[in-house]
Amino acid sequence: MTKLIIDGKEIDVPAEYTLLQACEAAGAEIPRFCYHERLSIAGNCRMCLVEVKGGPKPVASCAWGVRDCRPGPKGEPPEISTRSPMVKKAREGVMEFLLINHPLDCPICDQGGECDLQDQAMGYGVDTSRFAENKRAVEDKYLGALVKTSMNRCIQCTRCVRFSAEICGAPEMGATGRGEDMEITTYLEHALTSELQGNLVDICPVGALTSKPYAFAARPWELGKTQSVDVMDGVGSAIRVDSRGREVMRILPRLNEAVNEEWISDKTRHVVDGLRTQRLDRPYIRANGKLRAATWQEAFAAIAAKAGRIDGKRIGAIAGDLAAVEEMFALKELLAKCGSANLAVQGADAFDAKAGRASYIFNPTIAGIDQADALLIIGSNPRVEAAVLNARIRKRWRTGQLNIGVIGARADLTYDYDYLGAGADSLGELAGGKGAFADVLRSAKHPIVLVGSSVAGRHDGAAALALAAKLALDLGAVKDGWNGFAVLQDTASRVGALDIGFAPGVGGLTAAQMMTFGTLDVLFLLGADEIKVPDDTFVVYIGTHGDRGAHRADVILPGAAYTEKSGIYVNTEGRVQIAGRAAFPPGEAREDWAIIRALSETLGKKLPYDSLGALRAAIFKVVPHLMRVDQIEAGNPADLKTLAGKGGSVEKGPFRSTVEDFYLTNPIARASAVMAECSRLASGRLLTAAE
C-alpha cells in the first residue's frame, strides 16, 4: 500500500492504482469522458486533471500511476489536490475546448437528460466561450440497424473504438485523420457485426452514438423504471425496463458484477418492439379448421369438454423457453391432479432432474470464469447462445491466463482456441486422456469443461452428457473447492423447470415421446413454439404471440410476457432471480399462473392458491432454495459421479449449436422488426463470407 494525501485527507491505496482511482477511494469526484473502468486507458479528454504538489502543471489522473508520484523533500507522502484554483481553471479550459465544435442541439438530442457532457459542463464548465470560429461539420456514419450516429457531437474520446476491440472482439471502429480532421468511423461503413454493439450507446458520453430503434421516442424523465432480469438467454442479465403507461419503451442494463457486469446483448436490448406486435390479446377456439375469437368461459369449456372425459395419462404439457417458475409449477400441479406425469421443458429430455443440480447447471459460476486457466467448450457456440458470457470468456482470455479448446463446429468466438475436433470421437479421445489439451486440463488449477445444451438435445444426449462428466472427473476439473463441470443452458426456463421437477415423472413421457402420433389426446403448450405436434393431438396453447405454437393450437389462452408479470427465473448457474412487472398484458390477456388457476376450477381440479404470494409459498415449501433470491444453491459434486456412471454409446455425428440465428430464437424476437433486420444483415454477412 502507498500513502497519499488527497485534499488534505491521508489515505492508503495499492501502488498499482491510478491517481483517478486513488482520488475516488478518498471520496473525491473526478470528471472524465474517455476513462472507463472496463476499458484500457487512453488519456484523450484531459477532463480528469488534478494537481500534484510540486508539479509545474496539472496531470491527467487516469493515466498517472500512484507509484509515479514522488514524495516530498522530507519524505512526506505525495499531496494531490482535486479542487485547487489550478485544477478548476484547467477543467474549465478543457471543457471550453470540448465545446468548440459541439453543436447546440441538446433539445433534439436523444442523450438529453442523461448526458455526461451536459452534467459535466454544468458542474465544471463556464457559461461563455471565447471562440467565434465556425463549428466543424462531420458526416454521419452508417453502423447498422441498432446504432444511430450524429458525429458532429463526437469528442473523440475513443470509448467506442476500445469497446469494439476489447470487449466485443470485433475491432471494426477506429479513427482516421489528425487534429481537426480526426473522425471516428468503421472505415468501410458497413453494419457492425458484434452481438453487443448496443452497449456503444451506453458508453458514449455524448450524443454521438444513440439508439436507432429508440430515436425520438421518449425522454428519460417520462419513463417509469422497473428492475428486472433478461430471459432472452440463460444468463439472466440484470436489466432495467423503462415504460410509459402500458407500453415498454426501452430496456437498459443494470450493474451486476456476478452475472453481466454492465453489458447486455443486442437481443436483450432491442427486442422491445416484439412485445407490441403479433400479440395474443383474447382467447381463440378452432372451429371448422379456423381460429375464431372466444370468451374465456367458451375457451375453458372447450378444454373441459375434451380433457374431462379422457384418461389423465393421455394428457401432457411442454414448457417453452420463456416460462417462469410460477406457471410451470401451477401446470405441474394441475396435471398431477389429472393423474398425468407427462411433463417436459423444451430441450431438456437428456437432463435428469433427480440426478442433482450439479448435472445441469453452470457449476463454476459465471464469475468463476475470471479464475479459470483452462476451458474446454463442447458442442457450444457461446457467442450466440450467451453473448454476455462469451464476453466474460474473452475478458479472461485477454489476460493471457486462459487456454481454450473447442470440440464442435468451428466458429468465430472472438478469441483464439485450439480446435480439437467436431464430434464424439474427439470427445472420446480427450476423455481417454489423449492429446496435448488433456495435459492442459490436468495441469490447470481451475479448469472448466463447458457443455452446450445442444449436446443434451441430441438423441444420444444423455450418453454425451455422461461422457463429458466422466472427462471432467478424470482430467481434474472437479476437485476440492472447485467444480468445473459447466452446462451452458441457452434458455431462461430450463434450470427452473428442472429445479421444480417439471420433467417426466414415474411412467411419464419425454417431449420426444409426446410427439409420437397416437400417444396423447391433449397437450398443453406453455409458450412452447419449437415443438412439432402430431395432427391427432388437441393442443391448448398458453402464450403471448401468434407464433408456431399458436398456429397449431386448438384453443389459445393469451398470457403475459416477461415484462408484464412478476416471475421467478433461475439462470444457467442456478442463481434465483425475480423479473419485475413493468407493464400490463394487452386486452384480455392474463398472467399465466392465473390462467392455469382459473382453468383448474373449470376442470374440477381446483388449485389451492388464489394469489401470487400463496403460489410462491407453495413453491418454496417444495423447493426451499428458490426463496433465496440472487443466491446460488451449489450442486453436489458427488452427483457428477452418478452422471458419469450412466455411460451409454455416443453417436459419431458432429456437435452443433442449436442456435441457428442469434436474433430469432423465441416468439418475442421473431415478432420484432428490429431483430428481423439484424438477422437479415447477419445472413448477408454469412453469404458474403461463404462466397
Side-chain angles (χ1 to χ4, degrees):
M1 301 293 277
T2 303
K3 196 178 293 297
L4 295 176
I5 298 174
I6 299 175
D7 293 336
K9 178 181 178 181
E10 196 171 283
I11 185 172
D12 287 317
V13 296
E16 61 271 15
Y17 266 27
T18 62
L19 275 188
L20 189 150
Q21 292 171 304
C23 291
E24 293 201 329
E29 184 180 284
I30 306 294
R32 84 290 298 269
F33 291 112
C34 68
Y35 176 80
H36 191 282
E37 290 80 358
R38 303 186 198 280
L39 303 176
S40 60
I41 293 169
N44 293 348
C45 72
R46 320 308 283 182
M47 195 65 204
C48 62
L49 295 173
V50 297
E51 181 182 358
V52 179
K53 186 176 180 181
K57 57 183 180 180
V59 301
S61 60
C62 71
W64 192 282
V66 165
R67 58 164 55 95
D68 298 325
C69 295
R70 294 182 180 178
K74 298 181 181 178
E76 59 266 34
E79 289 189 39
I80 315 297
S81 176
T82 68
R83 296 194 292 262
S84 68
M86 177 199 281
V87 172
K88 183 175 184 295
K89 183 179 179 183
R91 288 177 181 169
E92 288 175 352
V94 169
M95 182 59 71
E96 204 171 342
F97 277 118
L98 287 174
L99 295 177
I100 290 174
N101 286 311
H102 198 80
L104 300 174
D105 61 354
C106 294
I108 62 162
C109 176
D110 269 331
Q111 202 90 325
E114 46 192 8
C115 174
D116 291 349
L117 188 62
Q118 282 183 331
D119 296 341
Q120 293 183 41
M122 282 291 293
Y124 303 98
V126 290
D127 59 356
T128 57
S129 174
R130 291 170 286 176
F131 294 93
E133 289 78 13
N134 291 329
K135 294 180 182 289
R136 73 169 189 161
V138 182
E139 192 174 324
D140 292 342
K141 309 297 188 293
Y142 172 74
L143 299 183
L146 303 181
V147 181
K148 176 187 173 187
T149 61
S150 182
M151 302 313 288
N152 284 334
R153 302 169 185 156
C154 181
I155 61 170
Q156 285 97 38
C157 69
T158 68
R159 277 188 183 184
C160 56
V161 176
R162 287 173 284 147
F163 177 82
S164 299
E166 296 166 16
I167 308 297
C168 296
E172 298 165 315
M173 299 189 72
T176 61
R178 300 181 65 185
E180 191 180 59
D181 297 322
M182 181 176 172
E183 293 185 24
I184 302 295
T185 177
T186 57
Y187 305 115
L188 301 178
E189 294 206 26
H190 57 70
L192 298 175
T193 61
S194 173
E195 295 78 16
L196 300 170
Q197 61 183 274
N199 295 288
L200 289 169
V201 175
D202 290 339
I203 65 167
C204 180
V206 296
L209 304 178
T210 55
S211 173
K212 189 175 280 188
Y214 179 69
F216 311 125
R219 286 299 192 186
W221 53 84
E222 301 174 340
L223 305 175
K225 300 166 179 62
T226 306
Q227 294 191 358
S228 188
V229 294
D230 173 48
V231 300
M232 293 295 114
D233 53 32
V235 175
S237 301
I239 60 173
R240 192 186 85 195
V241 181
D242 287 0
S243 56
R244 183 172 61 191
R246 297 177 67 94
E247 187 176 10
V248 173
M249 300 301 296
R250 65 176 179 178
I251 293 174
L252 297 176
R254 281 190 296 123
L255 185 68
N256 188 336
E257 295 290 354
V259 181
N260 60 307
E261 298 180 302
E262 61 186 86
W263 319 123
I264 53 174
S265 74
D266 294 337
K267 184 165 53 177
T268 300
R269 185 186 299 268
H270 291 293
V271 79
V272 171
D273 65 317
L275 292 166
R276 309 181 194 120
T277 52
Q278 294 187 327
R279 287 301 300 269
L280 301 172
D281 59 357
R282 67 189 68 182
Y284 288 87
I285 297 175
R286 190 174 296 278
N288 300 320
K290 293 184 178 181
L291 289 168
R292 67 167 180 86
T295 64
W296 281 101
Q297 290 75 16
E298 288 176 316
F300 286 166
I303 298 168
K306 187 71 177 178
R309 62 175 187 265
I310 60 174
D311 182 1
K313 293 180 180 178
R314 295 187 64 81
I315 300 175
I318 298 176
D321 297 344
L322 310 181
V325 167
E326 288 89 347
E327 54 254 32
M328 289 190 287
F329 184 84
L331 188 55
K332 176 176 183 265
E333 294 282 289
L334 176 58
L335 260 68
K337 283 180 176 286
C338 293
S340 173
N342 303 324
L343 300 167
V345 64
Q346 283 180 172
D349 281 2
F351 296 107
D352 184 359
K354 301 181 187 67
R357 294 193 101 210
S359 66
Y360 58 81
I361 67 171
F362 200 93
N363 291 287
T365 73
I366 295 171
I369 293 171
D370 295 342
Q371 303 175 49
D373 47 4
L375 171 64
L376 173 64
I377 299 174
I378 303 171
S380 176
N381 182 343
R383 182 172 178 179
V384 295
E385 293 174 23
V388 172
L389 183 141
N390 194 63
R392 196 108 182 195
I393 296 173
R394 174 175 167 79
K395 173 186 168 185
R396 179 60 176 169
W397 170 79
R398 289 184 69 239
T399 65
Q401 300 176 54
L402 180 64
N403 295 307
I404 303 173
V406 170
I407 296 177
R410 291 182 185 270
D412 178 9
L413 300 179
T414 73
Y415 40 78
D416 296 334
Y417 56 82
D418 296 325
Y419 186 67
L420 308 176
D425 290 344
S426 304
L427 181 60
E429 288 178 12
L430 197 62
K434 299 177 183 177
F437 203 80
D439 297 330
V440 170
L441 289 170
R442 279 197 202 93
S443 59
K445 290 183 178 179
H446 299 114
I448 294 178
V449 175
L450 187 156
V451 185
S453 56
S454 56
V455 172
R458 293 163 44 118
H459 294 299
D460 58 346
L465 278 174
L467 183 58
K470 181 178 182 301
L471 182 152
L473 290 166
D474 292 348
L475 298 183
V478 181
K479 58 185 80 172
D480 289 342
W482 180 258
N483 185 344
F485 182 75
V487 178
L488 179 56
Q489 304 286 5
D490 58 359
T491 70
S493 63
R494 202 171 291 143
V495 174
L498 293 168
D499 276 355
I500 64 171
F502 196 91
V506 178
L509 303 175
T510 65
Q513 290 168 337
M514 285 189 249
M515 293 306 101
T516 306
F517 190 87
T519 303
L520 293 181
D521 290 329
V522 176
L523 176 63
F524 290 90
L525 295 181
L526 187 57
D529 291 271
E530 324 301 326
I531 300 293
K532 189 172 182 181
V533 185
D535 293 336
D536 67 327
T537 305
F538 184 86
V539 176
V540 179
Y541 179 76
I542 305 172
T544 59
H545 286 72
D547 205 76
R548 300 165 189 167
H551 292 170
R552 173 60 187 84
D554 294 287
V555 176
I556 295 175
L557 306 177
Y562 71 105
T563 56
E564 299 160 359
K565 61 188 176 187
S566 176
I568 296 173
Y569 291 90
V570 188
N571 76 347
T572 188
E573 60 181 349
R575 184 182 301 275
V576 181
Q577 300 173 302
I578 292 187
R581 183 172 66 188
F584 289 90
E588 297 177 38
R590 295 292 181 266
E591 293 185 34
D592 303 62
W593 75 266
I595 294 171
I596 296 164
R597 162 65 181 80
L599 175 61
S600 72
E601 196 161 355
T602 303
L603 294 175
K605 316 283 185 183
K606 185 177 177 181
L607 296 174
Y609 24 79
D610 297 324
S611 68
L612 183 61
L615 171 56
R616 284 180 174 166
I619 295 171
F620 299 155
K621 190 173 181 181
V622 178
V623 191
H625 75 257
L626 291 179
M627 74 173 71
R628 294 191 280 276
V629 178
D630 205 33
Q631 295 184 36
I632 300 172
E633 180 77 9
N636 184 354
D639 294 337
L640 296 177
K641 294 180 181 177
T642 307
L643 177 63
K646 290 185 176 181
S649 59
V650 184
E651 296 174 6
K652 290 190 175 183
F655 296 125
R656 289 191 179 94
S657 173
T658 52
V659 179
E660 296 178 0
D661 190 331
F662 168 76
Y663 298 102
L664 304 176
T665 54
N666 59 61
I668 302 177
R670 287 191 287 268
S672 166
V674 176
M675 293 295 99
E677 175 64 9
C678 291
S679 175
R680 185 188 68 79
L681 290 170
S683 61
R685 288 194 300 270
L686 292 174
L687 287 173
T688 304
E691 290 169 2

